[in-house]
Amino acid sequence: MPGKQNNHQDYRFGPEGYRVSMVAGIHYDSELPDLTRFDMHWIDLENWPRKRHFEMFQGVDMPHFNVVGELDVSHALAFCKTHSMSSFALILYLISRTANEMDNMRYRIRDGKVCLHTSVDPAFTVLGDDELYYHCRTRYRSDLLAFCEDVRQQIALSVKDKVLHTEPGVDDVIYLSCIPWVAFKGISHAMHMNPVDSIPRYYWGKYESHGDKTLMPFAVQVHHGVADGLHVGRQFQAMQAYLNQPEQLLT
């Protein structure tokens, strides 16, 4: 039986009323950046446990896989209401936090080699009053309230300046987008294939009530050379654990 729509989903973020965009896949230029600006290190491929798996997927035409599932956001929505917090900002934070807690979501492929970033930032899309999407990046912080304030400020700047690009070659990010109009069961992501893009993509969608629960579709796409279903599953589990007890994020 199809669930009914939850009318409490925030289609707009923050007091300025900037809407969440349905478009993901921020432009990624193949030009490599100045490596000295990144806090990262190269993986010794010869001694890397994933070496054979990585090499196998280097020869695959479409080396990415996509997992779609549902998360229970019932407690998280109540938490957001109590603390006057946007659920968009909270979900953005939780995806960023769980990605930063996992090496496999911070591996990046560059010219046949693999690096591991110390930290990755969320790069996401927002929708302006002109109903066109714009790109936004904010620094990941473990402090939830500080992160939410950064997001609010960066959204305002991105929409005001109509930002539609990122720095060429930057890969210390994860890409995120929300489709609050659709409780999707499947989704695909725009990305470059030459060279192959190894930045993880995340989507989440419309909340729907099912009995006493409110469920949210959640999708993760990763490069199979650096991550497996095990790692995506662990991120789903970590997300759900935080969503079940969001109050702990303030301690």
Side-chain angles (χ1 to χ4, degrees):
M1 180 177 179
K4 61 183 180 180
Q5 180 178 351
N6 186 314
N7 294 324
H8 295 295
Q9 184 164 6
D10 55 340
Y11 287 74
R12 296 174 176 267
F13 172 79
E16 293 81 10
Y18 299 122
R19 287 175 289 178
V20 179
S21 172
M22 61 181 288
V23 184
I26 297 174
H27 177 68
Y28 178 68
D29 196 297
S30 61
E31 178 186 348
L32 289 179
D34 175 8
L35 301 183
T36 61
R37 57 169 292 180
F38 293 101
D39 187 4
M40 45 74 75
H41 68 268
W42 294 106
I43 298 300
D44 178 4
L45 292 180
E46 291 304 315
N47 295 300
W48 193 32
R50 290 194 62 86
K51 178 178 184 291
R52 290 192 301 159
H53 297 75
F54 171 70
E55 291 176 342
M56 179 174 67
F57 285 103
Q58 284 291 88
V60 175
D61 291 336
M62 178 58 182
H64 304 87
F65 71 96
N66 191 1
V67 177
V68 180
E70 291 181 322
L71 295 172
D72 184 348
V73 295
S74 308
H75 296 292
L77 294 180
F79 170 82
C80 288
K81 184 176 181 180
T82 298
H83 295 277
S84 300
M85 181 182 297
S86 167
S87 64
F88 171 72
L90 177 63
I91 298 301
L92 190 70
Y93 171 83
L94 291 180
I95 297 173
S96 302
R97 177 164 178 157
T98 53
N100 273 286
E101 290 174 346
M102 303 178 65
D103 286 358
N104 296 80
M105 300 306 173
R106 291 182 283 111
Y107 286 131
R108 297 293 182 267
I109 301 171
R110 296 177 177 174
D111 195 26
K113 297 184 291 184
V114 180
C115 70
L116 175 63
H117 287 289
T118 300
S119 178
V120 292
D121 295 330
F124 53 99
T125 49
V126 294
L127 196 66
D129 289 335
D130 53 5
E131 297 196 342
L132 293 173
Y133 75 91
Y134 300 103
H135 293 152
C136 187
R137 174 177 176 169
T138 193
R139 183 165 65 91
Y140 169 68
R141 296 172 179 241
S142 59
D143 184 315
L144 172 59
L145 298 182
F147 176 87
C148 290
E149 177 59 20
D150 284 350
V151 168
R152 186 190 69 79
Q153 293 181 16
Q154 290 302 317
I155 286 179
L157 290 172
S158 294
V159 173
K160 175 180 177 291
D161 296 338
K162 299 184 183 298
V163 177
L164 196 59
H165 63 83
T166 58
E167 288 185 81
V170 169
D171 62 1
D172 61 336
V173 294
I174 54 175
Y175 291 155
L176 311 96
S177 194
C178 176
I179 305 181
W181 311 278
V182 181
F184 57 79
K185 302 300 181 183
I187 199 164
S188 61
H189 305 250
M191 61 173 47
H192 288 274
M193 297 302 294
N194 186 24
V196 172
D197 187 335
S198 57
I199 299 175
R201 265 77 169 167
Y202 298 91
Y203 269 115
W204 69 102
K206 178 182 178 181
Y207 310 143
E208 287 195 326
S209 295
H210 293 264
D212 60 349
K213 295 183 178 180
T214 301
L215 302 180
M216 178 191 79
F218 181 54
V220 182
Q221 182 164 317
V222 295
H223 191 294
H224 216 332
V226 297
D228 303 321
L230 170 68
H231 308 110
V232 174
R234 285 175 174 168
Q235 188 169 16
F236 267 81
Q237 292 172 343
M239 286 280 295
Q240 190 60 70
Y242 284 128
L243 289 166
N244 288 344
Q245 296 182 304
E247 295 80 7
Q248 294 185 1
L249 299 170
L250 296 178
T251 60

